[in-house]
Amino acid sequence: MYAILDIETTGGKYNEEGITEIAIYRFDGHTITDQFISLVNPEKEIQPFVVKLTGINNAMLQTAPKFFEIAKRVVEITENCTLVAHNAQFDYRILQTEFKRLGYDYQRKSVCTVELAKELIPEQPSYSLGKLVRSLGIPVSDRHRANGDAQATVKLFKMLLTKDASKKIIQNNIRAENVGQLNPRLIDIVERLPNAVGVFYMHDLDGKIMFLAKSRNIQKRVNQIFVNTSRKFMKIQKEVRAVTYDETGNELIALLKENAEVNLNKPPYNKKSKKLFTHGLYLSKDKNGYFFLKIKKVESTGNCVTTFSNYQQAYNFLHKIDEEFELCNKLNGLSEAKKNCYNYTIGKCKGACIGTEPAQTYNKRVKKAIFEYSINHKTMLIIDKGRNASEHSFVFIEDGDFKGIGYFDLNHQINNIEIIKSILAPMQHTKNAKHLIHAYIRKKRNLKKLNFN
């Protein structure tokens, strides 16, 4: 659990500042579960430059509560939480100073989004909150007011969690929460999980990932593991201390995250990744200049149009695109007719098999079929459902290579590649990742795709 906060102060000498406004959002890694926002009477004058910057003046704070009046609420909302702030050292110091004046020793673990951003989003021109969130397309209002800055920090932190493929942020938080604690009952873990598509992570006492998997229903899948009596899952049930999750909004991103994060984190209870495909569709040209597609066992994906888990999938798909794009069964090896194919007899083939349709005309349809179902040589976005009703997700392909995933608000236009790269959670391009994308494109015929080339 996290407490994401922002504090505005009077300014002045070090450790003599007073709080003028505070905003705290209790955040479980996915949603805000509680919030506290208040002006605070610092019982001292505000520096003129601070008044100009924040718009908060002495008159506004005359009737505001003093810090001792809100201290209990601050303790409660941050209880068992890691404090998160942009330049956390400042906000945490100010809180500790105020509590010290009351004779209370306030101690919390803290995380700084400036440091996280420098690690996970390198080479940004500025890491000030305002400039950073603007460059990432994160909307911010009421800049230099506690509530506006805290809301922007929530959105920034959520993006940083998505970019943290190694799960260091979550592992450190779980390690802190588990100090001196016994393993909670498994049923309590399950009840806190969503009935949503995504990836879940099972952690041991040190916060390390023991096992991870994608699921269309996270809660249901974890429950199945906790009641499974196989040797492997009985060991997991004994060792697990926490289960975290990432909702993905759709199955493609869940598949890609599972594939990437198993390779990156190497959880001991996950099997080593193996090749997910056996056959591919290859493009060739015959002696008369006609393109044809042929199913082969995959040895190299260099000139492979798309890949399949087995021969039957490839065979069924080739039949499908022959029908959809009026291609020739005989040229594509699906008909053993000596002269014309059967589709020519019933009027569905235009005569490529007997040379009456010009090769140039026929080849255009073959190219169209390939363009529709392959990502080769494309720079594009595959746009799908997001984690909630106000956002979309995207998978970014650059020159045929998978680059990563991301999310954007519905009111945010992302047609600039540099913006896409800044909000992207990078992932490694692998043959398995490319296969997963191709298989999903075949499965979801009406996917929204934005091509840049």
Side-chain angles (χ1 to χ4, degrees):
M1 190 68 74
Y2 306 93
I4 301 175
L5 74 152
D6 187 81
I7 291 172
E8 302 299 331
T9 69
T10 58
K13 292 181 180 180
Y14 182 84
N15 265 12
E16 292 184 7
E17 311 101 319
I19 295 176
T20 59
E21 188 175 34
I22 186 169
I24 305 174
Y25 287 94
R26 194 173 173 95
F27 181 66
D28 65 4
H30 308 278
T31 57
I32 293 166
T33 60
D34 196 3
Q35 65 184 55
F36 173 68
I37 303 154
S38 179
L39 290 169
V40 181
N41 185 343
E43 301 182 86
K44 61 181 67 178
E45 293 294 307
I46 306 173
Q47 297 293 308
F49 80 92
V50 175
V51 174
K52 187 175 180 180
L53 181 69
T54 65
I56 301 172
N57 57 49
N58 295 304
M60 291 170 60
L61 304 180
Q62 286 182 358
T63 59
K66 298 178 177 64
F67 185 78
F68 76 86
E69 295 177 276
I70 66 166
K72 183 180 178 182
R73 178 69 173 129
V74 172
V75 170
E76 289 173 346
I77 198 170
T78 62
E79 191 74 34
N80 299 319
C81 285
T82 297
L83 298 184
V84 180
H86 206 69
N87 191 9
Q89 185 178 5
F90 172 79
D91 296 81
Y92 188 30
R93 176 179 66 81
I94 295 296
L95 271 184
Q96 285 190 308
T97 300
E98 290 284 6
F99 277 109
K100 190 174 181 180
R101 290 168 184 159
L102 300 178
Y104 181 82
D105 184 23
Y106 183 79
Q107 298 288 338
R108 297 287 187 271
K109 182 178 172 60
S110 65
V111 168
C112 179
T113 51
V114 175
E115 298 305 317
L116 289 176
K118 286 180 178 178
E119 180 182 350
L120 297 171
I121 319 174
E123 300 179 4
Q124 289 293 307
S126 172
Y127 288 92
S128 70
L129 182 62
K131 290 180 180 178
L132 181 61
V133 296
R134 276 197 297 273
S135 71
L136 299 174
I138 296 172
V140 58
S141 58
D142 291 332
R143 184 74 181 96
H144 297 298
R145 291 296 299 268
N147 188 35
D149 286 357
Q151 286 183 348
T153 306
V154 170
K155 292 172 183 175
L156 173 62
F157 186 60
K158 194 171 183 179
M159 180 181 290
L160 292 170
L161 287 173
T162 300
K163 285 177 172 285
D164 182 24
S166 64
K167 301 298 172 188
K168 287 182 182 178
I169 301 171
I170 290 173
Q171 287 180 32
N172 290 337
N173 193 54
I174 290 170
R175 191 180 297 118
E177 288 178 350
N178 275 326
V179 173
Q181 291 187 12
L182 296 173
N183 183 12
R185 293 194 311 133
L186 300 182
I187 191 169
D188 293 334
I189 292 177
V190 173
E191 287 177 349
R192 292 194 291 268
L193 299 174
N195 298 301
V197 62
V199 180
F200 63 86
Y201 310 85
M202 295 187 167
H203 303 263
D204 64 15
L205 184 62
D206 292 324
K208 293 180 180 178
I209 299 172
M210 305 157 46
F211 178 76
L212 69 86
K214 75 92 186 173
S215 178
R216 293 179 185 176
N217 186 324
I218 292 171
Q219 186 184 71
K220 182 178 180 181
R221 179 74 179 106
V222 172
N223 187 65
Q224 289 170 345
I225 290 172
F226 283 171
V227 298
N228 194 306
T229 56
S230 71
R231 189 173 181 180
K232 169 183 169 180
F233 290 124
M234 290 283 280
K235 285 183 177 180
I236 289 175
Q237 293 161 22
K238 185 177 180 180
E239 296 175 26
V240 67
R241 288 298 183 274
V243 178
T244 62
Y245 62 91
D246 285 343
E247 289 188 38
T248 60
N250 60 80
E251 193 175 6
L252 176 58
I253 291 183
L255 287 163
L256 292 170
K257 280 177 69 67
E258 178 188 46
N259 177 65
E261 291 174 358
V262 166
N263 290 330
L264 179 65
N265 295 291
K266 295 180 173 53
Y269 289 103
N270 280 92
K271 293 179 181 178
K272 290 182 179 179
S273 59
K274 59 181 180 180
K275 190 167 73 174
L276 300 176
F277 53 91
T278 58
H279 289 75
L281 206 57
Y282 292 82
L283 178 69
S284 299
K285 186 184 284 188
D286 71 8
K287 62 182 180 180
N288 298 315
Y290 289 94
F291 285 150
F292 65 92
L293 295 163
K294 188 171 184 178
I295 302 168
K296 296 181 186 178
K297 276 196 171 183
V298 174
E299 295 176 0
S300 168
T301 58
N303 63 339
C304 184
V305 173
T306 186
T307 51
F308 302 87
S309 299
N310 52 58
Y311 174 83
Q312 191 60 48
Q313 280 187 5
Y315 182 84
N316 292 342
F317 176 73
L318 191 51
H319 262 294
K320 175 186 173 182
I321 63 170
D322 277 5
E323 291 287 330
E324 185 177 348
F325 295 94
E326 297 182 317
L327 305 184
C328 180
N329 284 172
K330 185 179 178 184
L331 284 176
N332 286 337
L334 299 177
S335 170
E336 297 180 358
K338 292 182 179 180
K339 293 183 179 180
N340 58 273
C341 67
Y342 175 71
N343 278 350
Y344 177 77
T345 305
I346 62 174
K348 286 188 176 181
C349 173
K350 298 182 180 181
C353 52
I354 57 174
T356 57
E357 181 182 14
Q360 187 177 7
T361 305
Y362 177 79
N363 289 348
K364 282 183 179 180
R365 295 203 303 280
V366 179
K367 288 179 182 178
K368 188 176 180 182
I370 292 170
F371 185 82
E372 185 67 30
Y373 288 105
S374 178
I375 65 172
N376 289 349
H377 312 298
K378 288 183 181 179
T379 296
M380 64 182 293
L381 292 182
I382 300 171
I383 298 172
D384 208 340
K385 291 179 181 178
R387 297 161 296 189
N388 54 59
S390 65
E391 73 175 10
H392 281 316
S393 67
F394 68 84
V395 171
F396 180 47
I397 313 294
E398 187 173 38
D399 196 24
D401 287 348
F402 166 57
K403 294 296 183 180
I405 61 100
Y407 297 89
F408 64 96
D409 290 338
L410 295 183
N411 58 1
H412 182 209
Q413 296 295 318
I414 55 162
N415 48 19
N416 181 298
I417 289 180
E418 291 309 310
I419 291 177
I420 291 166
K421 288 181 178 179
S422 71
I423 63 176
L424 187 76
M427 291 185 183
Q428 186 179 5
H429 175 78
T430 64
K431 293 176 181 179
N432 276 351
K434 190 173 183 179
H435 167 74
L436 291 169
I437 294 168
H438 274 149
Y440 197 77
I441 289 172
R442 292 195 297 269
K443 180 181 176 183
K444 300 285 186 179
R445 184 67 179 83
N446 296 319
L447 268 179
K448 183 178 179 182
K449 289 170 273 189
L450 177 62
N451 288 292
F452 289 93
N453 52 352

